[in-house]
């Protein structure tokens, strides 16, 4: 019997969609301010403490990851923890395209801000014609396939 994906409440779905939108439109302030002042991030091999280190990391990433697109999908949730899976695509300044698959484990504080964010991801080059996350710059359109629909 095939396992069914859990149903997530509207608040969780909205939280995930807003996070995805902030990354897709490169709203660095929205991303940074969704974190507690003293939050901890681990993004692959990078360990970041606090909003200013997060801001610097995101700004560096935005300069490297051009035409960035990401799709988040909730995977599991408890009281203050949320597990997401994602796929992202971008190219670098030489025109090489990449796809990243990964997961994020997020812990929220009492105010609903990210207290801890742990990201594990694998990135590999792809050909431009292999891209699956295709939409005009900005937020993902509501009719674009989800990760599940893409088979990721």
């Amino acid at each position: 019997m095939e396992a069914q994906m859990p149903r997530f409440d509207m608040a969780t779905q909205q939280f995930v969609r807003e996070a995805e939108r902030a990354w897709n439109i490169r709203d660095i302030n929205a991303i940074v301010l969704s974190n507690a002042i003293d939050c901890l991030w681990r993004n692959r091999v990078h360990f970041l403490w606090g909003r200013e280190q997060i801001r610097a990391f995101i700004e560096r990433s935005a300069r490297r990851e051009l035409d960035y697109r990401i799709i988040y999908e909730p995977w599991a949730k408890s009281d203050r923890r949320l597990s997401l899976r994602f796929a992202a695509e971008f190219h670098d300044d030489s025109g090489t395209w990449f796809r990243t698959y990964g997961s994020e484990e997020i812990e929220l504080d009492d105010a609903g801000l990210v207290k801890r964010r742990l990201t594990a991801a694998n990135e590999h080059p792809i050909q431009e014609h292999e891209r699956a996350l295709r939409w005009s710059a900005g937020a993902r359109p509501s009719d674009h396939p989800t990760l599940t629909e893409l088979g990721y």
Side-chain angles (χ1 to χ4, degrees):
M1 176 181 254
E2 187 175 322
Q4 299 229 350
M5 288 293 297
R7 297 191 189 275
F8 296 97
D9 62 28
M10 290 301 291
T12 300
Q13 291 177 28
Q14 183 176 348
F15 178 89
V16 172
R17 192 65 181 209
E18 286 176 9
E20 175 188 290
R21 182 181 184 284
W23 283 98
N24 280 323
I25 68 170
R26 294 297 196 171
D27 187 343
I28 294 171
N29 282 332
I31 297 166
V32 170
L33 295 176
S34 69
N35 292 274
I37 291 172
D38 60 347
C39 62
L40 164 67
W41 274 26
R42 188 204 73 223
N43 191 312
R44 303 180 201 184
V45 300
H46 303 282
F47 289 81
L48 311 167
W49 289 272
R51 287 179 175 168
E52 291 314 306
Q53 286 186 10
I54 291 168
R55 178 181 302 280
F57 176 80
I58 295 168
E59 288 171 348
R60 281 192 310 273
S61 295
R63 286 191 298 271
R64 177 184 171 269
E65 300 169 345
L66 307 174
D67 291 321
Y68 187 85
R69 306 288 186 275
I70 191 168
I71 297 177
Y72 279 123
E73 192 169 281
W75 187 252
K77 180 181 185 289
S78 68
D79 235 12
R80 296 222 176 133
R81 292 186 176 165
L82 179 62
S83 177
L84 307 173
R85 61 192 200 100
F86 68 89
E89 294 176 349
F90 63 91
H91 67 86
D92 64 14
D93 60 1
S94 73
T96 302
W97 282 92
F98 296 89
R99 182 176 298 134
T100 303
Y101 297 104
S103 62
E104 292 185 0
E105 315 321 320
I106 297 170
E107 182 178 0
L108 303 172
D109 68 9
D110 292 337
L113 297 174
V114 176
K115 178 178 174 178
R116 185 174 9 194
R117 177 180 174 261
L118 310 172
T119 303
N122 296 300
E123 181 178 297
H124 62 95
I126 60 172
Q127 298 296 314
E128 197 281 336
H129 71 272
E130 296 175 297
R131 292 179 51 219
L133 311 184
R134 293 181 180 268
W135 62 83
S136 299
R140 176 172 57 102
S142 60
D143 63 346
H144 190 281
T146 64
L147 293 180
T148 298
E149 291 167 338
L150 290 168
Y152 290 170

